[in-house]
Amino acid sequence: MALSIPRRINNYWLEDCLGSGYSGSIFRACHIYTGQRVAIKLQNVDHECPTNRYERAFYPMLQGGEGMPTLWAAGVEGIWDFLVIDLLGPSLDSLFRKSGKNKMDLRSVCSIAIQLISRLQIMHTRGVLHRDIQLGNCAIGLSANNKTIYMIDFGFSKQYIDPHTRRHIPDSKAKRDFLGNYWFTSVGVHCKGKVPSRRDDLEAAALMLIHLLTPGGLSWTRNGVPKTDAQHDRIKRDKLTARPEDLCRGIPAEFEEFLRYCRRLKFADCPDYDHWKDEFKELANEHGFSDIDDFVWPPPPPKVKSQITALHQPKPGPAPYNNAPNMEEVLNGLAKLNLKERPVLGDQTNTLVALRKEYGALQKPVKTAVIEISSDSDDSADHPTNIPPPPNRFSKATQLHNLAASAHKATDNRTLSMIVTDFVACLQSTRSRMLTKEGFQFLDTLYKQLADPSVFAVPLRTSRTRSTNQDVFQPPARHVKLGALITLRREVTTAPNNRALAKMVADFGTVTNKSSGRTITKDGIAFLEGLAERLKALN
Ligand SMILES: Nc1ncnc2c1ncn2[C@@H]1O[C@H](COP(=O)(O)OP(=O)(O)OP(=O)(O)O)[C@@H](O)[C@H]1O
C-alpha cells in the first residue's frame, strides 16, 4: 500500500505514517500553503469496509464538541478516500503499553473516566453512538491540549436517533452480528447479539476503566486477539460469566457500581452522565487527587501532605453524639446497661441475648474508650492532663461503636435522626468512606430499632446472612435486586413508617456489602441524609 500512496492529497503534503488499521492508514501531513500540521486518514475507495465514508458523515455532527477532532477537509481523490483531521498525540493504548506498567494509577483512571463519559455525553447528545470504545480510540492532544482526551475512529458509529422521525431507533429481538472490539464491547452486544444503544457505549467505557485498574487487565484480554472461532467463543463465554463483583475485586466500589448501572439501563434509557462524572471526581478527591479534569501522563506524584491533612480534617456538623461529654454519658450509661428497663421503640426483649453478645464488649470498660473520654480516670499516666480529647481524636471505630450504642438506647425518631446525621458526619470525617465492621453493626442496631424487633429471634446482619424468618426476611426488594442506591435514595423521602425505613436500611446494608470495597458512595450518603430527614418527619 505504501508504494502507491501519493505524496500529495488535496492541499496537503503527506509525511510519515502514524498508524495503520484494518481499514486504512493515517499520515502526518502538512498544508502546502499554511504549513498547518494535520493527520490524514487514507482509505482505498474499494475497501470492503468503507469506514472513511461513514466517518465523513459523522465528523460534521460532532464538530465543536470538546475532545472531538476538527475535520479540516474530506473527499475522494483518485482511488483515495481521505479525511483531514486534527493531528493528535499518542493513544491511551500506546501510552499505557509504553509505560510498561501492568495497571494504571487511580488518578489517571478517574481522569479518563470523567473525560470519556463527557465525550460520550457529547456524542450521544448529538444522536451518535461510538460503538468501538477502546484504548486505541482515545488519543491525547498535542502541546497545549495534551491533558485532553480525544475520541477518534468513528468508522463504526451509528445514529441512534432516526433523522426522519427524530425518535430513538427501535430495539429488535433478532440477533445481530457483533460489531465492535473483543475486549470492551458490552456483554449484550458482543455475547447476546443485541442492538447497541447508549448504554453499551457506557458499558464498554466501564470495562475499559476496570481493565486499566486491574493488574494484567481483564481476564479475557490476556491471551491476545482470538485467531479462531473457538478462541472467540471462549472470550465471549468468559465475558458473559464474569460477575461484576469478581471483575472489580480490589478496586474502588464506584467501578463495580458503574458497570452494574450500565447493565441495568434499558435499551432507550438516557444515562446519567453527570452523576457518574461526579462520582469519579469525588472518588479522586477522596484519594487526595485534585484537578482531576485534566489527564496528566505520567501521573503527577501524590501530594502526601494534603492527603494527611484531609485524613484528619474533622467535618463540621451537628454533633451531640460526637462531643466528649455526651460520649462519656453514653459509655457510662452502657456500663450500667439494663436492657430490660430501657424504653424502646418496640419490644426488644427477645433480642437481648443476641444484643449482649453483639455489644458485650461495650459492657466491660472498653480500655481505649474510657481512657480517651473519662475525665476522672485514674489512668493519669496515660493522660496526665485529664482533658478529654477533641471529638476527632476518637477513632472511627470507636465513634461508630458509640453511635451504635446511642442508637440502641434511642427512644424516639428525632434522636435516631440525630444519630444518623452523626453517622454520616463520621463516615465523611475520614478519607475512606468504606463501611467497616463497626459501620455494619451500627446499621444492624438501627435496623432493629426501626423494625418491630419482637419478630426477630436473632439480630439481622444487614451485611451478611439473613434469617429464615419469612415474615421479615423476605427476598430482597426490587430495588435491591437492581442494586439501586439511587432508588433507595429517592424512596426514603416518602417512606410511610419506621418499618419501611428498616427495610431500606437492611437493603442499604446488603447493597453496600455487595460492592467490592464497601465504599459509601454519594448516593449512599444521600440515602442516609434522606433517612435522617425522614426520621425527623416521622417523629
Ligand atoms: N488524528 C490523529 N492524530 C495522530 N494519530 C492518529 C490520529 N488518528 C489516529 N491516529 C493513530 O492511528 C491509529 C489508527 O487510527 P484509527 O483507529 O482512526 O484508524 P483505523 O484504520 O480505523 O484503525 P482500526 O482499524 O485499528 O480501528 C490510532 O490508534 C492512532 O495511534
Side-chain angles (χ1 to χ4, degrees):
M1 183 175 170
L3 283 177
S4 57
I5 298 277
R7 287 218 49 221
R8 177 182 164 173
I9 285 277
N10 193 262
N11 283 330
Y12 297 87
W13 291 119
L14 267 53
E15 298 173 343
D16 44 327
C17 180
L18 294 167
S20 290
Y22 157 73
S23 47
S25 295
I26 186 142
F27 293 83
R28 192 196 318 268
C30 175
H31 194 282
I32 52 177
Y33 303 121
T34 65
Q36 181 199 15
R37 285 285 155 89
V38 293
I40 292 193
K41 215 170 162 180
L42 281 189
Q43 184 179 46
N44 192 304
V45 283
D46 294 327
H47 197 283
E48 57 176 358
C49 183
T51 47
N52 264 24
R53 200 192 314 154
Y54 304 143
E55 283 199 80
R56 226 182 314 139
F58 288 110
Y59 261 109
M61 297 181 204
L62 304 171
Q63 292 304 280
E66 192 185 3
M68 300 295 147
T70 303
L71 178 72
W72 295 100
V76 175
E77 204 168 280
I79 58 160
W80 298 109
D81 192 322
F82 69 91
L83 292 167
V84 182
I85 52 180
D86 278 339
L87 181 64
L88 301 170
S91 67
L92 292 183
D93 182 44
S94 145
L95 284 178
F96 186 37
R97 272 193 286 111
K98 278 192 188 139
S99 75
K101 297 188 163 83
N102 75 344
K103 71 178 185 92
M104 251 195 200
D105 60 289
L106 184 64
R107 186 203 183 280
S108 303
V109 177
C110 285
S111 184
I112 293 170
I114 294 162
Q115 294 208 33
L116 184 52
I117 295 169
S118 301
R119 304 301 170 258
L120 290 175
Q121 184 172 16
I122 290 171
M123 291 190 69
H124 294 174
T125 307
R126 298 183 183 198
V128 179
L129 303 174
H130 189 283
R131 302 207 299 175
D132 192 14
I133 297 298
Q134 54 170 307
L135 293 167
N137 286 340
C138 301
I140 58 168
L142 285 176
S143 42
N145 298 320
N146 69 354
K147 295 186 175 85
T148 303
I149 296 172
Y150 288 78
M151 218 63 249
I152 55 172
D153 197 354
F154 306 104
F156 286 173
S157 290
K158 183 187 163 127
Q159 279 181 280
Y160 71 93
I161 299 290
D162 186 307
H164 303 297
T165 63
R166 305 302 303 156
R167 302 181 71 138
H168 198 291
I169 51 165
D171 199 357
S172 159
K173 292 252 180 294
K175 276 200 164 192
R176 302 160 55 95
D177 283 343
F178 147 68
L179 191 148
N181 62 80
Y182 298 117
W183 306 151
F184 308 128
T185 297
S186 72
V187 163
V189 171
H190 189 182
C191 311
K192 300 179 184 167
K194 291 190 176 172
V195 182
S197 65
R198 286 172 284 188
R199 62 181 178 185
D200 300 288
D201 271 353
L202 241 63
E203 180 177 330
L207 290 174
M208 192 180 104
L209 300 171
I210 294 164
H211 172 80
L212 287 172
L213 278 175
T214 307
L218 292 167
S219 58
W220 59 83
T221 65
R222 293 179 194 156
N223 293 327
V225 177
K227 292 180 186 65
T228 62
D229 284 349
Q231 285 171 347
H232 185 197
D233 287 344
R234 169 107 200 265
I235 286 182
K236 285 201 276 187
R237 211 171 41 244
D238 289 352
K239 215 186 216 187
L240 187 63
T241 52
R243 298 183 309 170
E245 60 267 41
D246 295 332
L247 291 179
C248 301
R249 203 174 298 286
I251 67 174
E254 280 76 359
F255 294 91
E256 182 189 333
E257 279 155 22
F258 183 40
L259 179 61
R260 285 186 187 281
Y261 169 83
C262 299
R263 289 186 176 168
R264 280 200 307 272
L265 286 172
K266 298 202 178 64
F267 176 69
D269 277 354
C270 178
D272 191 346
Y273 309 93
D274 290 336
H275 169 82
W276 287 103
K277 283 190 282 183
D278 285 350
E279 282 286 335
F280 289 115
K281 207 170 281 187
E282 201 176 307
L283 173 66
N285 287 336
E286 277 170 15
H287 284 78
F289 306 122
S290 52
D291 299 332
I292 202 70
D293 289 338
D294 288 340
F295 174 71
V296 182
W297 190 265
K303 291 178 190 154
V304 178
K305 198 163 165 241
S306 66
Q307 278 183 26
I308 290 170
T309 314
L311 204 68
H312 293 287
Q313 208 93 64
K315 278 253 172 153
Y321 298 89
N322 267 354
N323 63 39
N326 276 320
M327 289 280 219
E328 186 175 5
E329 198 183 294
V330 166
L331 283 168
N332 287 340
L334 279 170
K336 296 182 236 143
L337 197 65
N338 184 345
L339 290 164
K340 273 186 191 147
E341 282 172 18
R342 100 197 144 82
V344 290
L345 298 176
D347 175 14
Q348 298 195 332
T349 44
N350 59 352
T351 66
L352 194 61
V353 175
L355 280 168
R356 279 241 167 86
K357 218 166 122 193
E358 197 69 9
Y359 298 108
L362 277 178
Q363 293 182 52
K364 299 172 209 141
V366 180
K367 190 159 182 278
T368 50
V370 172
I371 288 169
E372 280 186 358
I373 66 160
S374 173
S375 56
D376 47 35
S377 159
D378 56 10
D379 230 328
S380 48
D382 287 328
H383 288 270
T385 57
N386 276 349
I387 298 168
N392 59 326
R393 286 278 305 279
F394 294 115
S395 73
K396 186 173 172 182
T398 308
Q399 288 185 48
L400 291 172
H401 228 72
N402 293 335
L403 284 171
S406 302
H408 183 51
K409 281 178 62 179
T411 57
D412 56 62
N413 275 4
R414 180 169 291 278
T415 310
L416 276 182
S417 163
M418 288 196 290
I419 294 171
V420 173
T421 303
D422 286 347
F423 177 59
V424 174
C426 176
L427 292 176
Q428 291 184 314
S429 67
T430 53
R431 201 157 52 83
S432 159
R433 293 220 191 124
M434 203 182 86
L435 198 60
T436 55
K437 192 178 73 195
E438 292 79 12
F440 280 112
Q441 275 170 0
F442 172 82
L443 290 180
D444 285 341
T445 311
L446 182 64
Y447 174 85
K448 279 177 275 192
Q449 284 289 47
L450 290 170
D452 176 1
S454 59
V455 293
F456 296 114
V458 289
L460 173 76
R461 304 297 309 152
T462 51
S463 53
R464 276 162 233 115
T465 55
R466 287 181 177 273
S467 158
T468 51
N469 184 334
Q470 291 306 312
D471 183 29
V472 178
F473 302 105
Q474 303 143 348
R478 210 178 109 255
H479 53 250
V480 176
K481 279 194 193 145
L482 296 174
L485 277 172
I486 295 167
T487 312
L488 278 173
R489 171 187 178 168
R490 195 179 55 239
E491 290 184 353
V492 76
T493 58
T494 53
N497 51 36
N498 277 21
R499 202 176 166 80
L501 288 176
K503 179 104 187 65
M504 289 181 178
V505 169
D507 291 347
F508 174 70
T510 309
V511 170
T512 308
N513 190 46
K514 271 199 213 149
S515 316
S516 121
R518 293 177 184 158
T519 306
I520 310 266
T521 58
K522 215 177 85 192
D523 282 316
I525 295 289
F527 163 73
L528 292 168
E529 286 168 346
L531 175 65
E533 279 302 307
R534 194 63 194 146
L535 279 165
K536 220 187 298 170
L538 288 173
N539 195 37

